[in-house]
Amino acid sequence: MYICVSGKKLGGKDASRSKSLPDNLLTVTEAAMKTLVVLFVCTVAVVCVTSDAATGPQPASEDAGMFVERQQASAVVRQKRAPGELTLTQLESLMEVCEANLACEDMMDTEGIIAAYTAYYGPIPY
């Protein structure tokens, strides 16, 4: 099917019989492609106009976010706590892990659960 630039439609037998088409006729795909290009350009223009991006330079008075206050940093980065008293549930959990290894279990009986766990499995996770 062909579309005339002036708006008249040609199609079917008339379009297939003509050996050469006039210059003012476009195929449907060419017309659709031109429409898509115009829509894309309009979309890009709308996005550029309505974007919230700042176009001017940022003020130099701010530290550009390189440094934060201690309270804000502590909320993001959790510091390791000093080792304290473990609860009974935590000790039982360590014992269950250590009981799976016979050497750790023997050391647990002689040296204690904390010494045995740290010797075989590293620092206590809590």
Side-chain angles (χ1 to χ4, degrees):
M1 175 182 271
Y2 294 94
I3 299 174
C4 181
V5 176
S6 65
K8 296 179 182 177
K9 293 183 181 179
L10 294 176
K13 298 177 184 175
D14 295 333
S16 62
R17 288 183 190 167
S18 63
K19 294 184 181 178
S20 64
L21 296 172
D23 291 335
N24 64 345
L25 291 179
L26 300 173
T27 63
V28 172
T29 56
E30 289 173 342
M33 288 301 293
K34 286 186 180 186
T35 304
L36 286 175
V37 169
V38 169
L39 285 175
F40 178 74
V41 170
C42 291
T43 304
V44 170
V46 168
V47 168
C48 289
V49 169
T50 60
S51 69
D52 292 334
T55 56
Q58 298 294 325
S61 63
E62 296 179 16
D63 291 334
M66 289 179 52
F67 299 101
V68 294
E69 292 183 21
R70 185 178 298 259
Q71 291 177 345
Q72 290 175 334
S74 66
V76 175
V77 178
R78 194 176 103 192
Q79 296 179 353
K80 289 187 176 183
R81 295 180 285 162
E85 296 291 324
L86 295 175
T87 64
L88 185 60
T89 308
Q90 291 172 333
L91 286 173
E92 287 176 357
S93 174
L94 295 177
M95 288 174 65
E96 288 176 2
V97 170
C98 204
E99 286 174 352
N101 184 348
L102 289 176
C104 183
E105 186 177 8
D106 289 338
M107 187 175 178
M108 179 178 63
D109 292 336
T110 58
E111 300 292 326
I113 180 60
I114 295 174
Y117 185 89
T118 55
Y120 285 94
Y121 298 104
I124 297 173
Y126 31 77

